[in-house]
Amino acid sequence: MPGRLLSSLARVAPSSSKIDSLHAQDPPLFPPHYSREPPSNPQSRSQESLVMDKLKRHSLGSRHHSDKKSPKVEPQKAATMNMQVESPPIVFYNAPQASSGALFSGQLKFDVKEPHLTMDTFEMRMLAVVTTKKPVAPHCPECASHTTEIHKWDILKGSVSLRHGVHSFPFSHLIPGHLPATSHGAIASLDYYLSAVAISSTGEKFTYKRNIDIKRAIFPGNEKHSIRIFPPTNLTAAVTLPPVIHPIGDFPLEMRLSGIVTNKSDSQTRWRLRKLNWRIEETQKSVSPACPKHSQKVGGEGKGVLHEDVHVIGSEEVKSGWKTDFEAGNIDVEFRAACNMALKPTCDMESPNGMESKHNLVIEMVVAEEWAPLRKLSQATPTGAARVLRTQFHLVVTERAGLGISWDEEQPPMYEDVPASPPTYVADIVDYNMDQLDTEVADMAL
Ligand SMILES: [Zn+2]
């Protein structure tokens, strides 16, 4: 029943879903864009097919009544629904606060098998469904899954009689670019659906549901240059990283380790790179809200439990390839890193409901100390001292933009009131260039 759907949405909205409240505050981006064209020619199907449909329906129905042992054979419905999506795959370009969204359009096909069918309601909704793997109350479906209505189309208003044949209802919507992209993480998932429900005057219900995948592609900007220091040593690492990386494919990384040599009056101590490892850590967060029935478990309505999961989505030891120059006092290294697809990396995302996915590149080096007299630098001896240098960098994992062009740059405006600027988005601004400044140096003995 659509009533039940609505009531469950209404229950969810005030307590937990910030998506919904954000959506509600935003002025509509466009007036509901729905062109109600006259149903496509219902005469296009021959009288013969009408008769065939009637016969089929009748025979299936009677078989159902006469043979109770095969309840799986349902009588044919008075109408069926299908959909033809006309817009390209949905990709939001750039970060949520800078994205102009994506146009989504298609035709909802309603195939009436009867000579006439009177419809009382015919609606379609775009829904965001967040499913947590750690519900507040185990086995409670209401705690595990929360639905938010993103958009609603009134396909038909009031009671409308439809003739036999296929009726096409075009629909379109500019999906706002601040919405988080579809994400399937280790502790929570976000999926979007289209759900159409039509109810005839006799109470027969027709439904259609379809998953829609929303992706985000952040355009690469300039390379990122970061410097890390490792007190108490004089060592400094200058690292060049790509501005964004992708779940599939590797990326280059350049690093210069400086300050490896310390000269005294008659001797020199210097660091030699012994070991180099990298790993990409994915941090997923999700807030599990409680359903009204279980809200006392988390201390009241509107509260939830924050879950965090940190796991490695790619790692390797760089075995060789660095160049040591003791005269200049530098070690230069270039290597390629990548996410491991088998470890199911997710793209960066952040949802107002607390769900997010972020990434860090962790570089770990082991350096060993050597001592040499200035007169015989070639005769260096390991002192036995060694250190572990550990540092991390924020990485943005996003889909490839490819040849993607956002809808507002692609074509002249099709609507009367295209906003002059991208839709505004009031929220905490995520600084995608902000690097974690923590480095770590640990003593170790070789
Ligand atoms: Zn519950």
Side-chain angles (χ1 to χ4, degrees), residues 137 140 142-143 291 293-294:
C140 172
E142 303 259 306
C143 281
C291 74
K293 216 167 71 187
H294 294 115

Side-chain angles (χ1 to χ4, degrees), residues 156-178:
L156 289 175
K157 269 184 185 147
S159 194
V160 176
S161 178
L162 299 174
R163 279 184 288 183
H164 176 268
V166 179
H167 302 261
S168 285
F169 300 97
F171 62 86
S172 72
H173 185 54
L174 173 64
I175 304 179
H178 67 72

Side-chain angles (χ1 to χ4, degrees), residues 261-274:
V261 174
T262 306
N263 283 320
K264 288 171 189 157
S265 57
D266 58 350
S267 66
Q268 180 182 84
T269 52
R270 58 204 201 185
W271 296 106
R272 192 178 284 277
L273 183 61
R274 289 282 183 204

